[in-house]
Amino acid sequence: MPNAPRPPRRVTIPDVARHAGVGQATAARVLGGYGSSSAATRERVLAAAAELGYSTNAVARSMISGRTHTLGVVVADVENAYFARAVRGVTDVAARAGLQVVLANSDENGPTERAAVQMFIERRVDGLVVAPAAADHEHLDKAVASGVPVVLLDRVVSGAGLDTVVVDNRGAAQAAVARFTDAGHTRIAVVTSASPDENTARLAPGADIWTTTERLTGYRQALRAAGIPRGAELIRHTGYDRALARSAVLELMCAEHRPTALFTTDNVATLGTLDALLDLGARIPDDVSVIGFDDAEWATLVRPRLSVVSQPVQELGRLAADILIRRIEGSTARPRRHTLRTAYVPRESTGPAPARVRRLRAPGE
Amino acid sequence: MPNAPRPPRRVTIPDVARHAGVGQATAARVLGGYGSSSAATRERVLAAAAELGYSTNAVARSMISGRTHTLGVVVADVENAYFARAVRGVTDVAARAGLQVVLANSDENGPTERAAVQMFIERRVDGLVVAPAAADHEHLDKAVASGVPVVLLDRVVSGAGLDTVVVDNRGAAQAAVARFTDAGHTRIAVVTSASPDENTARLAPGADIWTTTERLTGYRQALRAAGIPRGAELIRHTGYDRALARSAVLELMCAEHRPTALFTTDNVATLGTLDALLDLGARIPDDVSVIGFDDAEWATLVRPRLSVVSQPVQELGRLAADILIRRIEGSTARPRRHTLRTAYVPRESTGPAPARVRRLRAPGE
DNA sequence: GAGCCCGTTGGTAACGTTATCAAAATTCAC
DNA sequence: GTGAATTTTGATAACGTTACCAACGGGCTC
């Protein structure tokens, strides 16, 4: 950082005290709103403060109180609607409790996350909400050891022993895919940003690694439960890339034995899938049924409107903040996982398996 | 705020100094990375610090340096994709400069914004990025007077004398609507969240008041420039409400002399407009041409893809942060308005005015 | 009227760092 | 080997608040 000039000296409590003709401890009590003081002096001090334009120095206050009234939040990317909603939930609860929120984006990058957490510890935030990018938790342990409580959001880190606020991704996905099997579908594909290699999944950069992998597992379980053999799974790993998802679906839907139902594990996959279906001129749900994971404003824009699994994202953030605040206030309850309910939102993109599968042709671009 | 226990005492510089067998000033120099020290002592101190698990107390550091390495950001709502992108831009630049970002949502509420700014002043943030909710700037003046530079984002506050980063909303809107007039359209409607009452516009709660009003003005100017009389303006004020926009467009498009082109001043209006058009079975652009303001991921999801005016939102945030950082570093350049370029993104929702206007019928819901 | 209690007051010591400056140790030149 | 220049070192004073405690005074009881 280049040279930054020291900020101008500001009015302090001694200044106000002098101006009001009282001792500084007295002025401090009035301005800090603690201890006792007579109405007369209170008035004098307040008047002097107003006259001089005094404003509390929260840094000095934090210095001695040990509290910064600040929460650190680490998410992958605020620009992602999911995290934006979660952050909003956190800030709402925090603001009500008189806490401010410092934001850091990890971009699903472990080292970036670690650096952010380290910085938060140094800044002495009162607590930390983290949507972890990787499975290691040394940095989080360090935070807790330094007296900074941590609550995990959206993703579980096994063995971390931390409060965690999540959604039942696997169960929700299974239930969604079960709608397909119940409706007679047998060729059901999934389009996902989850990594094909489950071992590296937790380490790889990219979005929503953990949650999408869980949703993929839910898909598998649903097929299994419906007696569909493992060989009949139709999985397309497209990364966190809309165009890739589109071309994968294009290819998938033009194949000999194309699926009659599509499940997407995340919004980017959904967007790419709809791109493909729209370009193919596929009739939804007559040709294909579609269910997406996570609701979005555009889910009701496409016709037919898209059926989705919706998650209470803001609520996730709010709950995380709630739990965190309780910890800051000294709760020593055993950390546990809080699983919030998802909801299947039936709209018009799902129907029974077609009796006859119409052949689709790639658009002549 | 309920009783919060004091955090545990942590390892400090004197602790490290004692453990390393050096004076605390020496330890401080090594750990703080300033002054000079021999390789031997440096090593000893660092070893002692690692052993004890020392971590810098940034609060104490701020106390004396007067810098918090923190930027305050006030936007209407991070959950809004526009602000999420802008915030991302700010945080990116800030992070690179070693600054953290504290986030506050004003919900377009003046008092909330003022409270947030006041809190930021007390916390001694190094600078402030504000997307102002109202036209008054007393609180912003106070910030500047206290030595906290302020940069305005997205909206102009006349008379504030502050650096401001915006887009030419009026010009961009005018240029967009001019596309319609150039293509022979004469019945051109606008759907907007702008308040119908321009006087109260800057005071009323609701989103994007100022910018949408500017865009509305641009619409008017374009019509004027094309020689379309004032009486032929078709303006629908629908507030920041998708359903209201939808019904307004439904009514508009089923009227006797319906428009052949629609301009929307913001994403919510666009969403509602498309809802209506889709439900009406309107053929775009054969029946109606549409241009939306501000690009979104779903603009390329609808078929035909939506032509839009796109704004460099992230760049807006980045530039605001850049300017702010320069101010923090002591720039005394005269505050000015920075207007970023918008781009008209032609897609498939615009075409020539139809020779014969097909009658549209309300869907039998 | 003496003794006591309690609300009020102000001096001073924290909090944990960086800044200042003089003393001590080292290096360098001749 | 000496003196001067330079580096390294540590004691101590900030920064602006809250915490602590002793002192003060007025009103009350007996």
Side-chain angles (χ1 to χ4, degrees):
Chain A
M1 175 124 22
N3 60 314
R6 284 272 209 93
R9 196 181 125 48
R10 292 193 255 202
V11 181
T12 66
I13 287 185
D15 295 332
V16 175
R18 227 180 342 267
H19 195 257
V22 300
Q24 46 171 297
T26 304
R29 268 190 302 267
V30 173
L31 296 170
Y34 59 93
S36 64
S37 51
S38 69
T41 42
R42 198 155 41 239
E43 205 172 321
R44 271 237 304 279
V45 171
L46 257 19
E51 208 164 316
L52 263 46
Y54 170 82
S55 107
T56 306
N57 183 331
V59 176
R61 178 175 290 173
S62 294
M63 172 91 227
I64 134 97
S65 73
R67 304 247 72 104
T68 52
H69 297 281
T70 298
L71 256 40
V73 175
V74 185
V75 295
D77 177 14
V78 240
E79 210 171 333
N80 179 319
Y82 177 89
F83 292 114
R85 277 186 281 167
V87 167
R88 179 71 216 237
V90 173
T91 50
D92 280 357
V93 170
R96 197 149 318 159
L99 301 167
Q100 288 204 312
V101 168
V102 188
L103 185 70
N105 299 110
S106 73
D107 286 314
E108 303 286 2
N109 180 306
T112 306
E113 174 184 313
R114 276 194 291 279
V117 169
Q118 175 60 33
M119 189 159 285
F120 281 138
I121 294 176
E122 293 181 358
R123 302 223 165 179
R124 302 293 190 261
V125 295
D126 293 345
L128 229 33
V129 174
V130 181
D136 59 309
H137 53 271
E138 223 177 300
H139 55 308
L140 303 175
D141 298 343
K142 194 162 30 159
V144 173
S146 325
V148 179
V150 177
V151 174
L152 259 31
L153 183 74
D154 185 43
R155 302 153 189 196
V156 173
V157 170
S158 59
L162 293 171
D163 287 298
T164 307
V165 180
V166 289
V167 123
D168 179 12
N169 287 288
R170 200 192 311 173
Q174 179 173 358
V177 175
R179 304 256 167 181
F180 286 150
T181 59
D182 288 352
H185 292 273
T186 54
R187 293 194 61 78
I188 304 166
V190 62
V191 184
T192 182
S193 71
S195 164
D197 181 355
E198 294 190 35
N199 296 327
T200 65
R202 296 295 283 127
L203 303 168
D208 273 333
I209 296 309
W210 188 81
T211 51
T212 50
T213 301
E214 281 290 296
R215 292 168 198 167
L216 185 55
T217 304
Y219 159 83
R220 289 204 166 101
Q221 290 181 337
L223 293 206
R224 203 83 356 101
I228 296 173
R230 210 171 217 292
E233 285 177 355
L234 286 164
I235 304 174
R236 287 296 176 278
H237 298 275
T238 57
Y240 205 63
D241 184 321
R242 178 171 171 177
L244 242 49
R246 175 176 177 277
S247 52
V249 172
L250 238 35
E251 179 259 313
L252 191 64
M253 294 301 291
C254 294
E256 191 73 38
H257 291 295
R258 69 165 178 80
T260 61
L262 290 174
F263 176 61
T264 56
T265 65
D266 52 279
N267 268 334
V268 170
T270 309
L271 244 11
T273 298
L274 292 176
D275 279 340
L277 260 23
L278 254 26
D279 287 343
L280 240 28
R283 289 178 312 223
I284 304 174
D286 298 340
D287 289 331
V288 237
S289 285
V290 184
I291 296 179
F293 206 108
D294 201 10
D295 208 352
E297 52 186 5
W298 43 260
T300 50
L301 180 62
V302 289
R303 294 300 131 91
R305 293 179 187 83
L306 186 70
S307 302
V308 298
V309 175
S310 86
Q311 338 176 47
V313 188
Q314 248 212 29
E315 182 58 28
L316 244 59
R318 271 200 296 267
L319 182 57
D322 266 333
I323 295 170
L324 188 55
I325 289 171
R326 232 167 298 149
R327 286 257 175 249
I328 292 171
E329 285 167 1
S331 159
T332 56
R334 195 155 159 281
R336 66 184 204 82
R337 189 185 303 187
H338 302 254
T339 306
L340 259 45
R341 276 203 153 0
T342 57
Y344 173 69
V345 182
R347 288 200 268 248
E348 303 129 21
S349 66
T350 44
R356 222 186 99 261
V357 177
R358 186 169 75 99
R359 190 70 195 271
L360 297 174
R361 251 164 245 297
E365 288 180 37
Chain B
M1 174 128 21
N3 60 317
R6 284 271 210 95
R9 194 181 127 48
R10 292 193 255 201
V11 181
T12 67
I13 286 185
D15 296 332
V16 175
R18 225 178 344 264
H19 195 255
V22 300
Q24 48 170 294
T26 305
R29 270 190 299 265
V30 173
L31 296 171
Y34 60 94
S36 65
S37 52
S38 70
T41 43
R42 195 154 43 239
E43 206 171 321
R44 272 235 305 277
V45 171
L46 256 19
E51 208 165 318
L52 265 45
Y54 170 81
S55 108
T56 307
N57 183 333
V59 176
R61 178 174 290 172
S62 293
M63 171 91 230
I64 134 99
S65 72
R67 303 248 72 103
T68 53
H69 297 282
T70 299
L71 257 42
V73 176
V74 185
V75 296
D77 176 14
V78 240
E79 210 171 332
N80 180 321
Y82 178 89
F83 291 115
R85 278 187 280 168
V87 167
R88 180 69 215 238
V90 173
T91 51
D92 280 357
V93 170
R96 197 149 317 159
L99 301 168
Q100 289 204 312
V101 168
V102 187
L103 184 70
N105 300 109
S106 73
D107 286 314
E108 304 285 3
N109 178 306
T112 306
E113 174 184 313
R114 276 194 292 278
V117 169
Q118 175 59 32
M119 188 160 285
F120 281 138
I121 295 175
E122 293 181 357
R123 301 224 165 177
R124 302 294 191 258
V125 296
D126 292 345
L128 229 33
V129 174
V130 180
D136 59 309
H137 52 271
E138 221 178 301
H139 55 308
L140 303 175
D141 297 344
K142 193 163 30 159
V144 173
S146 328
V148 178
V150 177
V151 173
L152 260 30
L153 184 73
D154 184 44
R155 303 153 190 197
V156 173
V157 170
S158 59
L162 294 170
D163 286 300
T164 307
V165 180
V166 289
V167 124
D168 180 12
N169 286 289
R170 198 190 315 171
Q174 178 174 0
V177 175
R179 304 255 166 182
F180 286 149
T181 57
D182 288 352
H185 292 273
T186 52
R187 293 194 60 79
I188 304 167
V190 62
V191 184
T192 183
S193 70
S195 164
D197 181 356
E198 294 190 36
N199 296 328
T200 66
R202 296 292 286 129
L203 302 168
D208 273 332
I209 297 309
W210 188 81
T211 52
T212 49
T213 300
E214 281 291 296
R215 293 169 198 166
L216 186 55
T217 304
Y219 159 84
R220 288 205 168 100
Q221 291 182 337
L223 292 207
R224 203 85 352 107
I228 297 174
R230 214 173 213 289
E233 285 179 356
L234 286 164
I235 304 175
R236 287 297 176 276
H237 297 276
T238 56
Y240 205 62
D241 184 320
R242 179 171 170 177
L244 241 50
R246 175 177 176 275
S247 51
V249 173
L250 237 35
E251 178 260 314
L252 192 63
M253 294 301 291
C254 293
E256 190 73 39
H257 290 295
R258 69 164 177 82
T260 60
L262 290 174
F263 176 61
T264 56
T265 66
D266 53 279
N267 268 332
V268 169
T270 310
L271 243 11
T273 298
L274 291 175
D275 280 340
L277 260 23
L278 255 24
D279 286 342
L280 240 29
R283 286 177 313 220
I284 306 173
D286 298 339
D287 288 332
V288 234
S289 286
V290 184
I291 296 179
F293 206 108
D294 200 10
D295 208 352
E297 52 186 7
W298 45 259
T300 51
L301 180 63
V302 289
R303 292 303 130 92
R305 294 179 188 80
L306 186 71
S307 302
V308 298
V309 176
S310 88
Q311 338 177 46
V313 188
Q314 249 212 29
E315 182 58 27
L316 243 59
R318 272 200 295 268
L319 182 58
D322 265 333
I323 295 170
L324 188 55
I325 289 173
R326 232 166 297 148
R327 285 261 173 244
I328 293 172
E329 285 167 1
S331 160
T332 55
R334 194 152 160 282
R336 66 185 205 81
R337 189 185 303 190
H338 302 255
T339 305
L340 260 44
R341 275 203 153 2
T342 57
Y344 173 70
V345 181
R347 288 202 269 249
E348 303 130 20
S349 66
T350 43
R356 222 187 100 261
V357 177
R358 186 169 74 100
R359 189 71 195 273
L360 296 173
R361 250 164 245 298
E365 286 181 36

Tab-separated table of all heavy atoms in Angstrom, chain A residues 44-79:
chain	number	residue	atom	x	y	z
A	44	ARG	N	-24.577	19.383	30.001
A	44	ARG	CA	-23.395	20.191	29.676
A	44	ARG	C	-22.453	19.440	28.730
A	44	ARG	O	-21.979	19.983	27.725
A	44	ARG	CB	-22.631	20.528	30.973
A	44	ARG	CG	-23.081	21.793	31.655
A	44	ARG	CD	-21.920	22.777	31.833
A	44	ARG	NE	-20.802	22.205	32.562
A	44	ARG	CZ	-20.713	22.091	33.876
A	44	ARG	NH1	-21.698	22.528	34.630
A	44	ARG	NH2	-19.642	21.557	34.440
A	45	VAL	N	-22.208	18.182	29.071
A	45	VAL	CA	-21.282	17.382	28.267
A	45	VAL	C	-21.823	17.162	26.861
A	45	VAL	O	-21.109	17.358	25.867
A	45	VAL	CB	-21.019	16.015	28.944
A	45	VAL	CG1	-20.244	15.101	28.007
A	45	VAL	CG2	-20.276	16.211	30.252
A	46	LEU	N	-23.084	16.810	26.797
A	46	LEU	CA	-23.694	16.565	25.488
A	46	LEU	C	-23.639	17.820	24.622
A	46	LEU	O	-23.374	17.756	23.422
A	46	LEU	CB	-25.146	16.108	25.676
A	46	LEU	CG	-25.450	14.621	25.510
A	46	LEU	CD1	-24.210	13.740	25.627
A	46	LEU	CD2	-26.522	14.161	26.469
A	47	ALA	N	-23.889	18.947	25.259
A	47	ALA	CA	-23.851	20.214	24.529
A	47	ALA	C	-22.441	20.459	23.988
A	47	ALA	O	-22.260	20.805	22.817
A	47	ALA	CB	-24.273	21.358	25.451
A	48	ALA	N	-21.471	20.265	24.855
A	48	ALA	CA	-20.084	20.472	24.436
A	48	ALA	C	-19.728	19.526	23.292
A	48	ALA	O	-19.073	19.923	22.315
A	48	ALA	CB	-19.150	20.232	25.625
A	49	ALA	N	-20.167	18.286	23.408
A	49	ALA	CA	-19.866	17.286	22.376
A	49	ALA	C	-20.457	17.717	21.043
A	49	ALA	O	-19.802	17.664	20.001
A	49	ALA	CB	-20.413	15.928	22.792
A	50	ALA	N	-21.707	18.160	21.083
A	50	ALA	CA	-22.386	18.585	19.868
A	50	ALA	C	-21.659	19.781	19.268
A	50	ALA	O	-21.436	19.847	18.058
A	50	ALA	CB	-23.836	18.933	20.181
A	51	GLU	N	-21.286	20.693	20.139
A	51	GLU	CA	-20.632	21.910	19.689
A	51	GLU	C	-19.300	21.597	18.992
A	51	GLU	O	-18.973	22.186	17.967
A	51	GLU	CB	-20.370	22.805	20.904
A	51	GLU	CG	-20.325	24.274	20.584
A	51	GLU	CD	-20.452	25.084	21.863
A	51	GLU	OE1	-21.320	24.731	22.698
A	51	GLU	OE2	-19.668	26.032	22.029
A	52	LEU	N	-18.571	20.673	19.582
A	52	LEU	CA	-17.262	20.329	19.040
A	52	LEU	C	-17.344	19.299	17.912
A	52	LEU	O	-16.365	19.032	17.210
A	52	LEU	CB	-16.372	19.772	20.156
A	52	LEU	CG	-15.406	20.738	20.842
A	52	LEU	CD1	-16.133	22.036	21.184
A	52	LEU	CD2	-14.866	20.109	22.115
A	53	GLY	N	-18.519	18.713	17.745
A	53	GLY	CA	-18.667	17.682	16.712
A	53	GLY	C	-17.964	16.388	17.089
A	53	GLY	O	-17.305	15.755	16.268
A	54	TYR	N	-18.153	16.014	18.321
A	54	TYR	CA	-17.511	14.781	18.787
A	54	TYR	C	-18.200	13.554	18.218
A	54	TYR	O	-19.423	13.504	18.105
A	54	TYR	CB	-17.558	14.711	20.315
A	54	TYR	CG	-17.144	13.367	20.861
A	54	TYR	CD1	-15.802	13.056	21.015
A	54	TYR	CD2	-18.095	12.414	21.198
A	54	TYR	CE1	-15.415	11.827	21.506
A	54	TYR	CE2	-17.723	11.174	21.688
A	54	TYR	CZ	-16.379	10.879	21.839
A	54	TYR	OH	-15.999	9.661	22.312
A	55	SER	N	-17.415	12.569	17.814
A	55	SER	CA	-18.014	11.276	17.465
A	55	SER	C	-17.134	10.179	18.051
A	55	SER	O	-15.910	10.235	17.985
A	55	SER	CB	-18.150	11.132	15.949
A	55	SER	OG	-17.206	10.233	15.425
A	56	THR	N	-17.801	9.236	18.664
A	56	THR	CA	-17.116	8.129	19.334
A	56	THR	C	-16.067	7.498	18.433
A	56	THR	O	-16.287	7.334	17.235
A	56	THR	CB	-18.133	7.032	19.701
A	56	THR	OG1	-19.168	7.626	20.453
A	56	THR	CG2	-17.472	5.924	20.500
A	57	ASN	N	-14.963	7.104	19.007
A	57	ASN	CA	-13.971	6.337	18.274
A	57	ASN	C	-14.172	4.875	18.641
A	57	ASN	O	-13.731	4.409	19.689
A	57	ASN	CB	-12.567	6.792	18.645
A	57	ASN	CG	-11.522	6.059	17.844
A	57	ASN	OD1	-11.729	4.931	17.438
A	57	ASN	ND2	-10.398	6.706	17.609
A	58	ALA	N	-14.848	4.164	17.739
A	58	ALA	CA	-15.184	2.766	18.021
A	58	ALA	C	-13.934	1.894	18.084
A	58	ALA	O	-13.931	0.848	18.728
A	58	ALA	CB	-16.149	2.238	16.967
A	59	VAL	N	-12.887	2.331	17.408
A	59	VAL	CA	-11.658	1.534	17.433
A	59	VAL	C	-11.082	1.505	18.843
A	59	VAL	O	-10.752	0.452	19.383
A	59	VAL	CB	-10.612	2.099	16.450
A	59	VAL	CG1	-9.317	1.326	16.562
A	59	VAL	CG2	-11.142	2.057	15.032
A	60	ALA	N	-10.998	2.686	19.436
A	60	ALA	CA	-10.481	2.764	20.803
A	60	ALA	C	-11.373	1.962	21.747
A	60	ALA	O	-10.894	1.264	22.638
A	60	ALA	CB	-10.420	4.219	21.248
A	61	ARG	N	-12.656	2.059	21.516
A	61	ARG	CA	-13.584	1.310	22.359
A	61	ARG	C	-13.332	-0.191	22.233
A	61	ARG	O	-13.288	-0.908	23.231
A	61	ARG	CB	-15.021	1.657	21.959
A	61	ARG	CG	-16.064	0.906	22.742
A	61	ARG	CD	-17.452	1.369	22.381
A	61	ARG	NE	-17.719	2.720	22.875
A	61	ARG	CZ	-18.805	3.405	22.568
A	61	ARG	NH1	-19.699	2.887	21.740
A	61	ARG	NH2	-18.986	4.594	23.068
A	62	SER	N	-13.165	-0.640	20.984
A	62	SER	CA	-12.913	-2.060	20.761
A	62	SER	C	-11.618	-2.489	21.435
A	62	SER	O	-11.506	-3.582	21.973
A	62	SER	CB	-12.802	-2.369	19.270
A	62	SER	OG	-14.033	-2.165	18.643
A	63	MET	N	-10.665	-1.598	21.371
A	63	MET	CA	-9.355	-1.863	21.948
A	63	MET	C	-9.490	-2.330	23.393
A	63	MET	O	-8.873	-3.303	23.796
A	63	MET	CB	-8.570	-0.560	21.888
A	63	MET	CG	-7.271	-0.577	22.607
A	63	MET	SD	-6.009	-1.090	21.484
A	63	MET	CE	-5.213	-2.274	22.532
A	64	ILE	N	-10.310	-1.627	24.113
A	64	ILE	CA	-10.416	-1.972	25.522
A	64	ILE	C	-11.505	-3.002	25.796
A	64	ILE	O	-11.338	-3.883	26.626
A	64	ILE	CB	-10.561	-0.712	26.400
A	64	ILE	CG1	-11.668	-0.850	27.432
A	64	ILE	CG2	-10.745	0.533	25.625
A	64	ILE	CD1	-11.089	-1.276	28.739
A	65	SER	N	-12.610	-2.934	25.056
A	65	SER	CA	-13.692	-3.883	25.327
A	65	SER	C	-13.379	-5.265	24.767
A	65	SER	O	-13.916	-6.265	25.223
A	65	SER	CB	-15.005	-3.387	24.714
A	65	SER	OG	-14.974	-3.517	23.314
A	66	GLY	N	-12.521	-5.314	23.775
A	66	GLY	CA	-12.202	-6.606	23.173
A	66	GLY	C	-13.265	-7.071	22.187
A	66	GLY	O	-13.160	-8.136	21.610
A	67	ARG	N	-14.282	-6.251	21.998
A	67	ARG	CA	-15.348	-6.597	21.052
A	67	ARG	C	-15.328	-5.605	19.908
A	67	ARG	O	-15.175	-4.408	20.147
A	67	ARG	CB	-16.718	-6.527	21.730
A	67	ARG	CG	-16.879	-7.382	22.963
A	67	ARG	CD	-17.884	-8.486	22.706
A	67	ARG	NE	-17.317	-9.469	21.813
A	67	ARG	CZ	-16.871	-10.660	22.219
A	67	ARG	NH1	-16.943	-11.009	23.476
A	67	ARG	NH2	-16.371	-11.503	21.353
A	68	THR	N	-15.481	-6.090	18.690
A	68	THR	CA	-15.479	-5.165	17.560
A	68	THR	C	-16.884	-4.957	16.988
A	68	THR	O	-17.074	-4.167	16.085
A	68	THR	CB	-14.570	-5.681	16.432
A	68	THR	OG1	-14.957	-7.031	16.128
A	68	THR	CG2	-13.114	-5.664	16.859
A	69	HIS	N	-17.827	-5.738	17.480
A	69	HIS	CA	-19.198	-5.671	16.952
A	69	HIS	C	-19.177	-5.852	15.444
A	69	HIS	O	-19.821	-5.103	14.706
A	69	HIS	CB	-19.862	-4.357	17.356
A	69	HIS	CG	-20.002	-4.239	18.833
A	69	HIS	ND1	-20.991	-4.869	19.542
A	69	HIS	CD2	-19.217	-3.636	19.756
A	69	HIS	CE1	-20.831	-4.627	20.831
A	69	HIS	NE2	-19.753	-3.888	20.987
A	70	THR	N	-18.405	-6.797	15.039
A	70	THR	CA	-18.228	-7.072	13.617
A	70	THR	C	-18.262	-8.572	13.370
A	70	THR	O	-17.705	-9.350	14.139
A	70	THR	CB	-16.855	-6.536	13.166
A	70	THR	OG1	-16.812	-5.137	13.357
A	70	THR	CG2	-16.600	-6.868	11.711
A	71	LEU	N	-18.940	-8.948	12.301
A	71	LEU	CA	-18.959	-10.348	11.881
A	71	LEU	C	-18.205	-10.456	10.570
A	71	LEU	O	-18.380	-9.627	9.686
A	71	LEU	CB	-20.409	-10.791	11.648
A	71	LEU	CG	-21.092	-11.671	12.684
A	71	LEU	CD1	-20.745	-11.262	14.089
A	71	LEU	CD2	-22.588	-11.643	12.478
A	72	GLY	N	-17.394	-11.483	10.433
A	72	GLY	CA	-16.742	-11.732	9.153
A	72	GLY	C	-17.554	-12.749	8.378
A	72	GLY	O	-18.069	-13.707	8.964
A	73	VAL	N	-17.703	-12.537	7.093
A	73	VAL	CA	-18.421	-13.501	6.262
A	73	VAL	C	-17.558	-13.876	5.067
A	73	VAL	O	-17.086	-13.002	4.345
A	73	VAL	CB	-19.758	-12.924	5.763
A	73	VAL	CG1	-20.437	-13.892	4.807
A	73	VAL	CG2	-20.681	-12.632	6.936
A	74	VAL	N	-17.345	-15.149	4.888
A	74	VAL	CA	-16.583	-15.612	3.727
A	74	VAL	C	-17.498	-16.466	2.854
A	74	VAL	O	-17.995	-17.499	3.290
A	74	VAL	CB	-15.376	-16.475	4.140
A	74	VAL	CG1	-14.538	-16.837	2.919
A	74	VAL	CG2	-14.520	-15.765	5.168
A	75	VAL	N	-17.733	-16.010	1.646
A	75	VAL	CA	-18.502	-16.804	0.688
A	75	VAL	C	-17.676	-16.945	-0.582
A	75	VAL	O	-16.632	-16.310	-0.718
A	75	VAL	CB	-19.856	-16.141	0.359
A	75	VAL	CG1	-20.747	-16.086	1.579
A	75	VAL	CG2	-19.649	-14.768	-0.237
A	76	ALA	N	-18.151	-17.775	-1.485
A	76	ALA	CA	-17.400	-17.961	-2.722
A	76	ALA	C	-17.425	-16.690	-3.558
A	76	ALA	O	-16.401	-16.226	-4.047
A	76	ALA	CB	-17.978	-19.125	-3.517
A	77	ASP	N	-18.598	-16.086	-3.660
A	77	ASP	CA	-18.751	-14.955	-4.569
A	77	ASP	C	-20.101	-14.281	-4.356
A	77	ASP	O	-21.137	-14.866	-4.652
A	77	ASP	CB	-18.652	-15.472	-6.015
A	77	ASP	CG	-18.873	-14.387	-7.041
A	77	ASP	OD1	-18.841	-13.206	-6.668
A	77	ASP	OD2	-19.072	-14.728	-8.225
A	78	VAL	N	-20.094	-13.061	-3.869
A	78	VAL	CA	-21.367	-12.344	-3.652
A	78	VAL	C	-22.146	-12.143	-4.914
A	78	VAL	O	-23.342	-11.889	-4.859
A	78	VAL	CB	-21.223	-10.891	-3.140
A	78	VAL	CG1	-21.893	-10.713	-1.833
A	78	VAL	CG2	-19.855	-10.386	-3.263
A	79	GLU	N	-21.474	-12.201	-6.022
A	79	GLU	CA	-22.164	-11.939	-7.271
A	79	GLU	C	-23.108	-13.092	-7.615
A	79	GLU	O	-24.046	-12.937	-8.373
A	79	GLU	CB	-21.128	-11.753	-8.384
A	79	GLU	CG	-21.578	-10.840	-9.442
A	79	GLU	CD	-20.454	-10.512	-10.400
A	79	GLU	OE1	-19.268	-10.553	-9.986
A	79	GLU	OE2	-20.749	-10.221	-11.553
